[in-house]
């Protein structure tokens, strides 16, 4: 049968006993490895997706260094820092959710997921406050730009990159939140246990990616 | 079921290692460190360090990101293939940046927006490096 | 066709094609073989569509003045030819059809790692292709498949459906690549270490890496073009401080590796065909495997050679030129190994082998002209002329489509259990190889003489070469028509092929033709190397197949 396995377990028996094991995988370990590898590949694609926007940032910051320095000052550093703390903490809470479900503690896991989702909401609310400020000031991308305080070439491009980057990021926050809500529902329904918790792990990984992107966006947009 | 238990400890399974492995403490520690670095980056971001501002900010961000990836995302305990995927992605992002940035820095000033810094290396250009 | 064993070829009573019945069973299948067949039909339709656009372009170029269309129509025609051929055919074809069908079979697995994701990638392809096609019906866009800003962000033509279609087809590509990488890592049969996987699998592995990492960048880029067009945010617009060359950097960062998505699977096919039809162990298995990874990796660093005259810096020009030539080294390694495999082999002159030989000629010729255009000083003259057009058609049509046809003929018995008519196969192959040369060699000449690409008219002195090219393209088209006819006949009434009509040592031939739904009727354990025909020191066996 499977000559590469060190033990004499019968794959058919494992399929019969483990409802989560798909027919084309021999063991649950292989299947879990496959799922994790698939997830990391997907995270790789997300990294490359945001890379394009970071590239745009690099190019235009280089061209318009001084104007961008002034434009960055018009962003609300307090709110930006708050959002950073919020996301980092939410990464912590989702890591704790994963820790709890591995121990079979569905209750604390669900609590941690709820906290994470709350933090995500806070992030979005703060972001929308910031956006509203910018709309009122006229600090908008491209042709809509009419912000007198920062004149000069390249200023509109700062806000272009700002809105595109934070917009794409916010979209991912919403997607991540939705995933976590779905995972939370399944935790509450008792789907997970120490022997099966991989959806919680994957949801957490996606959320950490959202945090990672912001860890770079924050200094580049607010602190230059 | 005895067979199955034997299987689970014989072949490496992340779930079992962690269940008997580290406690939640390490997550708290990483969280505090991340908050500390956030404070550091806000503090240094305010100061005017000239050209050093950006490298410092990127360095701190990279440290924070590394901590999140290694410990919150458990890449420090993951299969080699997962680590390779992530590292290769980062390498390609860096290559993209280098290729484009190299272009920007050394383009003929006529191909750049006015006022953009340039350092034209083409032999027929008579322009000295200028800001 | 005679068998390598004495038994009568058997057509299995139950196989993947008839295991479940009804259209719904096909639309909801998670069987990688059925998904491969559906991709097959889809990409052939796409090829037909793109081919029609090509024929119309060639007919237009019969005369120096407008022949059958005006300037605006011409611009839309070459744009749509490019979009259809690249995104709807070249990129999905070999991975989607043969990768899907063969990967699990070649690994001794029951399916790919994520069968439902596989079906999703097919649906994404269909949705994206339909969107792009609907854009064409609405008048189509005229920017070229390269969508250069700032023209693309200000053209009045129908851009959004095409952009959205490309975006969604990109997702299909990412999902396929992701699936394949995980499958190769986790579903190899016992006994199959990395150095025993077939070379087609190595090629698909390298291709999938590019698909996963490069495609998001084009996704973002077309998204930005769409946003730019609506919002005028200034990202690529010089009047608002933007940089049009930045668009080109972002676009080509994907689109150059994309050409390796097209050519690497083709090279994998050729490795399989050359091994089987020279009945010899592949010479330099490891070098061919590693060179696939090498092409994938280095291919990411070479994108700027599309931008030599864009205003990019001289430093970058030189760097990109040098790196681009490095890719040629990896390709040359493969070519030498293939030729060494053929040397003193027992060559079976069959249709797949004919296409493989065509491939070898075209990859050398096309590859060398690639090195030529990678030389900055030469490309300044050739950029945006028909020389470049001929170069990339030599690779994309000459090499990749030869490989697609080789694959189609080699694996037709495996996929459908029947043999096609070998005589007609050779006739069609001759038309195609000759017709291809007749179409594109004049284009090298006329391009070198200065005829620009993407112009609907040309100076009179280029007429004879253009007429020659069009005449050649009719031969080419005729060859494809012959294939369609005898293949359809073979599907319905071809002689039964049996498990392994080619007596190939590929792992996929160790099961019935067509294979059962579960791929194998036994638990697979791999006990031999890939492409192994002789033990070390053993003589080449001369077998008539």
């Amino acid at each position: 049968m499977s000559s590469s396995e060190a033990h004499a377990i019968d794959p058919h028996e494992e399929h019969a006993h483990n409802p989560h094991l798909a027919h084309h995988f021999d063991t649950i370990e292989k299947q879990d490895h496959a799922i994790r590898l698939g997830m990391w590949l997907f995270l790789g694609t997300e990294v490359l997706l945001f890379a394009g926007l970071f590239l745009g940032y690099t190019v235009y910051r280089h061209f318009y260094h001084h104007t961008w320095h002034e434009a960055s000052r018009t962003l609300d550093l307090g709110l930006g820092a708050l959002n950073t703390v919020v996301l980092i903490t939410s990464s912590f809470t989702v890591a704790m959710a994963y820790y709890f479900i591995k121990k079979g503690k569905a209750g604390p896991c669900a609590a941690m997921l709820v906290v994470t989702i709350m933090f995500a909401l806070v992030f979005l609310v703060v972001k929308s406050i910031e956006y509203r400020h910018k709309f009122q000031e006229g600090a908008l991308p491209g042709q809509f730009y009419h912000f007198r305080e920062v004149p000069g070439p390249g200023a509109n491009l700062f806000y272009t990159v700002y809105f595109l980057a934070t917009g794409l990021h916010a979209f991912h926050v919403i997607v991540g939140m939705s995933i976590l809500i779905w995972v939370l529902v399944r935790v509450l329904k008792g789907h997970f246990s120490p022997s099966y918790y991989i959806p919680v792990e994957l949801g957490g990984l996606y959320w950490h990616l959202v945090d990672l992107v912001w860890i770079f966006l924050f200094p580049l947009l607010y602190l230059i | 079921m005895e067979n199955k238990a034997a299987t689970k400890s014989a072949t490496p399974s992340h779930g079992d290692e962690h269940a008997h492995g580290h406690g939640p403490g390490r997550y708290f520690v990483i969280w505090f460190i991340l908050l500390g670095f956030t404070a550091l980056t806000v503090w240094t971001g305010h100061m005017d360090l000239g050209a050093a501002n950006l490298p410092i900010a990127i360095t701190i961000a990279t440290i924070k990101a590394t901590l999140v990836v290694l410990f919150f995302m458990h890449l420090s305990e993951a299969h080699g293939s997962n680590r390779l995927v992530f590292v290769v992605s980062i390498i390609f992002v860096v290559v993209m940046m280098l290729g484009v940035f190299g272009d920007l820095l050394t383009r003929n000033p006529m191909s750049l927006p006015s006022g953009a810094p340039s350092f034209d290396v083409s032999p027929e250009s008579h322009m000295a490096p200028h800001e | 066709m005679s068998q390598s064993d004495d038994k009568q070829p058997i057509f299995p009573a139950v196989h993947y094609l008839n295991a479940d019945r009804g259209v719904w069973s096909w639309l909801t299948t998670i069987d990688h073989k059925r998904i491969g067949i559906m991709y097959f039909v889809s990409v052939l339709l796409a090829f037909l569509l793109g081919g029609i656009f090509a024929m119309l372009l060639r007919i237009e170029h019969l005369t120096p003045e407008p022949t059958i269309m005006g300037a605006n129509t011409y611009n839309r025609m070459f744009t749509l030819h490019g979009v259809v051929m690249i995104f709807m055919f070249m990129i999905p074809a070999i991975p989607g059809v043969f990768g899907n069908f063969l990967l699990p079979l070649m690994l001794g697995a029951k399916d790919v790692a994520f069968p439902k994701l596989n079906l999703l990638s097919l649906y994404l392809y269909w949705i994206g292709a339909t969107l792009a096609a609907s854009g064409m019906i609405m008048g189509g866009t005229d920017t070229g498949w390269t969508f250069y800003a700032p023209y693309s962000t200000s053209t009045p033509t129908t851009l959004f459906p095409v952009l959205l279609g490309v975006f969604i087809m990109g997702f299909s590509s990412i999902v396929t690549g992701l699936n394949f990488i995980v499958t190769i890592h986790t579903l190899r049969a016992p006994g199959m270490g990395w150095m025993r996987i077939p070379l087609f699998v190595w090629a698909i592995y390298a291709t999938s890496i590019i698909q996963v990492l490069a495609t998001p960048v084009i996704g973002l880029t077309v998204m930005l073009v769409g946003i730019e067009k609506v919002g005028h945010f200034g990202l690529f617009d010089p009047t608002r401080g933007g940089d049009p060359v930045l668009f080109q950097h972002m676009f080509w960062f994907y689109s150059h590796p994309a050409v390796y998505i097209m050519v690497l699977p083709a090279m994998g096919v050729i490795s399989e065909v050359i091994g089987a039809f020279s009945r010899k162990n592949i010479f330099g298995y490891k070098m061919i495997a590693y060179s696939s990874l090498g092409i994938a990796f280095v291919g990411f660093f070479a994108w700027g050679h599309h931008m030599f005259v864009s205003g990019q810096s001289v430093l970058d020009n030189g760097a990109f030129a040098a790196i681009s030539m490095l890719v040629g080294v990896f390709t040359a390694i493969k070519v030498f190994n293939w030729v060494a495999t053929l040397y003193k082999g027992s060559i079976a002159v069959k249709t797949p082998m004919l296409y493989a030989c065509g491939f070898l000629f075209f990859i050398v010729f096309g590859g060398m002209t690639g090195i030529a255009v990678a030389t900055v000083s030469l490309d300044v003259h050739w950029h945006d002329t028909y020389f470049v057009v001929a170069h990339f058609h030599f690779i994309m049509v000459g090499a990749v489509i030869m490989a697609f046809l080789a694959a189609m003929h080699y694996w037709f018995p495996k996929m459908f259990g029947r043999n096609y008519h070998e005589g007609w196969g050779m006739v069609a192959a001759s038309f195609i190889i000759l017709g291809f040369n007749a179409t594109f060699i004049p284009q090298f000449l006329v391009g070198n003489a200065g005829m620009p690409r993407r112009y609907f008219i040309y100076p009179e002195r280029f007429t004879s070469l253009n007429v020659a090219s069009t005449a050649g393209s009719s031969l080419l088209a005729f060859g494809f028509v012959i294939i369609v006819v005898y293949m359809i006949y073979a599907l319905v009434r071809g002689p039964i092929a049996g498990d392994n009509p080619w007596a190939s040592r590929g792992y996929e031939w160790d099961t019935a033709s067509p294979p059962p739904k579960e791929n194998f009727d036994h638990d697979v354990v791999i006990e031999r190397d890939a492409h192994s025909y002789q033990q070390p020191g053993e003589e080449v066996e001369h077998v008539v197949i």
Side-chain angles (χ1 to χ4, degrees):
Chain A
M1 286 273 167
S2 324
S3 52
S4 62
E5 307 293 312
H7 52 281
I9 190 150
D10 180 0
H12 299 290
E13 191 192 305
E14 188 157 2
H15 279 95
H17 289 285
N18 192 337
H20 298 292
L21 183 58
H23 76 286
H24 55 290
F25 280 104
D26 278 342
T27 64
I28 196 77
E29 283 80 20
K30 273 242 171 87
Q31 179 173 295
D32 282 354
H33 169 44
I35 292 176
R36 289 190 183 106
L37 179 60
M39 188 64 193
W40 278 100
L41 283 164
F42 176 64
L43 294 181
T45 69
E46 293 278 30
V47 167
L48 265 301
L49 182 77
F50 277 97
L53 282 175
F54 280 106
L55 183 70
Y57 171 93
T58 309
V59 169
Y60 292 124
R61 182 175 180 275
H62 171 75
F63 285 162
Y64 304 117
H65 193 169
H66 296 300
T67 317
W68 273 43
H69 179 71
E70 288 172 35
S72 169
R73 293 284 147 270
T74 69
L75 294 182
D76 194 323
L77 180 58
L79 290 182
L82 172 66
N83 263 350
T84 309
V85 169
V86 161
L87 273 190
I88 288 177
T89 310
S90 73
S91 249
F92 163 70
T93 53
V94 87
M96 289 302 292
Y98 168 69
Y99 169 81
F100 280 129
I101 198 64
K102 270 188 338 193
K103 291 213 177 286
K105 299 184 181 169
C109 170
M112 286 289 113
L113 285 174
V114 168
V115 172
T116 310
I117 294 165
M118 289 295 121
F119 276 132
L121 269 170
V122 167
F123 179 90
L124 289 173
V125 166
V126 171
K127 203 89 216 97
S128 54
I129 293 173
E130 286 185 89
Y131 276 13
R132 225 171 37 128
H133 282 174
K134 290 287 154 281
F135 290 170
Q136 285 163 347
E137 285 168 343
L140 293 171
Q143 62 175 342
F144 306 106
Y145 185 74
H146 54 275
F147 187 37
R148 267 166 245 271
E149 272 69 11
V150 187
N156 62 327
L157 278 171
F158 176 84
Y159 296 101
T160 300
V161 172
Y162 169 77
F163 278 107
L164 283 174
T166 57
L168 187 65
H169 178 258
F171 173 75
H172 281 77
V173 170
I174 295 172
V175 169
M177 238 174 70
S178 318
I179 292 173
L180 289 176
I181 291 173
W182 174 71
V183 169
L184 172 65
V185 166
R186 291 190 69 188
V187 169
L188 292 171
K189 283 189 179 176
H191 286 187
F192 303 125
S193 66
S195 59
Y196 175 67
Y197 51 81
I198 202 154
V200 182
E201 185 178 343
L202 297 189
L205 281 177
Y206 191 81
W207 190 252
H208 290 303
L209 180 84
V210 167
D211 182 26
L212 276 179
V213 174
W214 185 258
I215 282 176
F216 281 96
L217 277 184
F218 170 62
L220 291 179
L221 290 173
Y222 291 79
L223 294 173
I224 50 145
Chain B
M1 296 312 109
E2 212 177 311
N3 233 350
K4 209 165 162 196
T7 312
K8 277 201 164 281
S9 47
T11 48
S13 158
H14 297 301
D16 288 304
E17 275 167 22
H18 296 177
H20 308 302
H22 67 82
R26 67 161 33 177
Y27 296 125
F28 280 97
V29 170
I30 299 293
W31 178 40
F32 283 128
I33 297 177
L34 286 170
L35 291 175
F37 272 114
T38 308
L40 179 66
T41 199
V42 171
W43 184 55
T44 55
H46 263 319
M47 309 186 324
D48 182 11
L49 303 164
N53 264 106
L54 185 63
I56 291 178
I58 301 278
T59 308
I60 297 177
T62 308
I63 294 173
K64 288 164 72 179
T66 310
L67 289 172
V68 171
V69 168
L70 283 180
F71 299 111
F72 282 171
M73 297 170 87
H74 303 100
L75 201 61
S76 58
E77 300 148 351
H79 266 264
S81 44
N82 300 358
R83 294 192 240 195
L84 191 64
V85 166
F86 193 71
V87 168
V88 170
S89 313
I90 301 295
I91 290 176
F92 285 154
V93 174
V94 170
V95 166
M96 194 194 325
M97 300 274 187
L98 284 177
V100 178
F101 209 59
D103 172 33
L104 299 182
L105 276 177
T106 54
R107 253 193 235 174
N108 187 306
M110 281 199 299
S111 310
L112 294 167
S114 53
S118 81
F119 189 89
D120 189 7
V121 299
S122 55
E124 66 279 351
S125 159
H126 302 298
M127 305 202 183
H130 70 283
E131 254 289 320
Chain C
M1 200 156 283
S2 62
Q3 293 288 291
S4 56
D5 50 48
D6 300 318
K7 299 197 294 256
Q8 268 289 84
I10 300 173
F11 197 95
V14 181
H15 49 81
Y16 76 98
L17 288 166
N18 64 12
D20 305 297
R21 297 200 178 264
V23 176
W24 193 244
S25 76
W26 279 84
L27 292 176
T28 55
T29 187
I30 53 171
D31 180 356
H32 64 97
K33 300 181 290 300
R34 286 191 165 197
I35 293 175
I37 299 295
M38 288 191 278
Y39 261 111
F40 196 26
V41 174
S42 312
V43 302
L44 287 178
L45 285 171
F47 187 65
L48 177 66
L49 187 64
I52 290 173
F53 286 135
M55 285 313 296
L56 290 170
L57 288 169
R58 283 301 343 143
I59 292 172
E60 168 57 32
H61 276 312
L62 275 174
T63 74
E65 319 87 33
T67 315
I68 53 171
M69 57 180 87
N72 286 325
T73 312
Y74 182 81
N75 294 348
R76 287 158 218 249
M77 202 64 66
F78 69 68
T79 302
L80 298 170
H81 169 68
V83 168
V84 170
M85 280 308 201
I86 289 177
F87 293 110
M88 293 196 218
F89 179 75
M90 298 288 293
I91 291 193
I94 298 180
V97 179
F98 300 105
N100 261 315
F101 194 96
L102 293 166
L103 202 61
L105 287 170
M106 285 184 168
L107 295 175
K110 295 200 180 81
D111 209 317
V112 290
F114 308 120
K116 291 186 200 153
L117 270 188
N118 208 8
L119 185 65
L120 175 68
S121 100
L122 178 67
Y123 272 99
L124 287 172
Y125 169 75
W126 279 342
I127 293 170
T130 309
L131 266 169
S134 71
M136 289 170 222
I137 296 172
M138 293 197 269
T141 189
D142 61 351
T143 58
W145 79 276
T146 45
F147 306 119
Y148 273 20
Y151 181 64
S152 61
T153 52
S154 53
T155 176
T157 57
T158 320
L159 191 61
F160 281 107
V162 180
L163 286 182
L164 192 54
V166 168
F167 186 80
I168 294 176
M169 284 192 278
F171 262 110
S172 166
S173 189
I174 291 174
V175 170
T176 300
L178 192 151
N179 220 337
F180 286 171
I181 293 177
V182 179
T183 307
I184 296 169
H185 271 264
T186 60
L187 284 174
R188 299 192 305 278
M192 193 186 297
W194 281 93
M195 288 299 134
R196 272 188 175 174
I197 68 179
L199 286 171
F200 181 66
V201 176
W202 272 111
I204 292 285
Y205 184 61
T207 307
S208 302
I209 294 173
I210 306 177
Q211 280 179 298
V212 165
L213 293 181
T215 316
V217 181
I218 190 76
L220 181 78
T221 310
V222 297
M223 203 168 79
L224 290 177
V225 170
I227 291 175
E228 253 309 279
K229 189 164 186 225
V230 172
H232 298 289
F233 291 172
L235 214 58
F236 306 124
D237 183 353
T239 63
R240 293 185 213 279
D243 182 10
V245 181
L246 175 65
F247 170 83
Q248 295 187 35
H249 276 296
M250 292 175 69
F251 178 83
W252 287 113
F253 185 81
Y254 163 75
S255 300
H256 186 71
V259 315
Y260 299 116
I261 297 178
M262 303 179 217
V263 94
L264 275 170
M267 292 173 163
V269 169
I270 297 305
S271 294
E272 298 285 330
V273 169
I274 283 189
F277 289 87
S278 52
R279 303 209 58 77
K280 221 175 133 221
N281 296 351
I282 289 275
F283 190 95
Y285 168 92
K286 277 196 185 158
M287 290 308 286
I288 297 184
Y290 291 145
S291 66
S292 296
L293 292 177
I295 291 177
F297 201 66
V298 176
F300 267 97
F301 307 156
W303 76 90
H305 63 235
H306 299 270
M307 297 163 59
F308 284 153
V309 297
S310 64
Q312 185 178 245
S313 78
V314 173
L315 176 72
D316 262 34
N317 276 355
F320 282 123
I323 296 172
S324 306
M325 303 209 183
L326 191 55
V327 181
V329 172
F330 294 119
T331 311
I333 289 174
K334 287 182 189 278
V335 171
F336 290 141
N337 279 301
W338 288 323
V339 172
T341 306
L342 289 170
Y343 179 66
K344 288 201 175 170
S346 168
I347 309 290
V349 182
K350 301 285 176 188
T351 308
M353 185 53 140
L354 219 56
Y355 283 120
C357 292
F359 174 95
L360 282 177
F361 173 72
F362 293 132
I363 197 104
V364 169
F365 215 100
M368 293 206 303
T369 54
I371 301 297
V373 290
T375 310
V376 182
S377 48
L378 298 176
D379 190 57
V380 168
H381 172 64
W382 284 326
H383 181 80
D384 271 349
T385 67
Y386 263 83
F387 193 91
V388 177
V389 173
H391 155 67
F392 64 69
H393 279 94
F394 254 73
I395 302 291
M396 296 215 271
V397 182
V400 177
I401 294 195
M402 293 303 126
F404 183 84
L405 293 171
M408 202 165 95
H409 288 75
Y410 179 48
W411 282 302
F412 183 88
K414 175 54 60 184
M415 289 159 92
F416 302 111
R418 295 180 182 275
N419 283 319
Y420 58 88
H421 190 283
E422 194 50 50
W424 281 112
M426 309 269 259
V427 167
S430 313
F431 269 109
I432 287 179
I433 293 175
L434 289 170
F436 175 86
N437 277 308
T439 310
F440 290 104
I441 290 181
Q443 292 189 10
F444 274 124
L445 300 170
V446 87
N448 189 45
M451 177 177 170
R453 62 187 285 204
R454 294 181 169 174
Y455 278 40
F456 76 116
I457 51 175
Y458 54 81
E460 269 216 50
R461 62 185 184 278
F462 298 141
T463 311
S464 50
L465 283 170
N466 270 293
V467 171
S469 175
T470 306
S473 68
S474 348
L475 278 180
L476 191 54
F478 188 53
F480 285 122
V481 169
I482 299 177
I483 296 182
V484 169
V485 172
Y486 70 72
M487 280 301 195
I488 292 180
Y489 180 86
L491 265 176
V492 183
R493 297 184 54 164
I496 291 172
D499 288 9
N500 192 356
W502 306 117
S504 166
R505 298 284 279 167
Y507 306 137
E508 74 275 19
W509 297 97
D510 288 347
T511 186
S513 306
K517 191 172 165 187
E518 291 291 301
N519 289 349
F520 298 93
D521 57 7
H522 54 280
D523 283 326
V524 179
V525 178
I526 302 297
E527 278 153 356
R528 64 173 190 266
D529 282 342
H531 318 282
S532 71
Y533 289 85
Q534 298 91 33
Q535 295 301 316
E538 218 184 4
E539 282 293 304
V540 173
E541 193 192 359
H542 294 278
V543 166
V544 177
I545 55 169

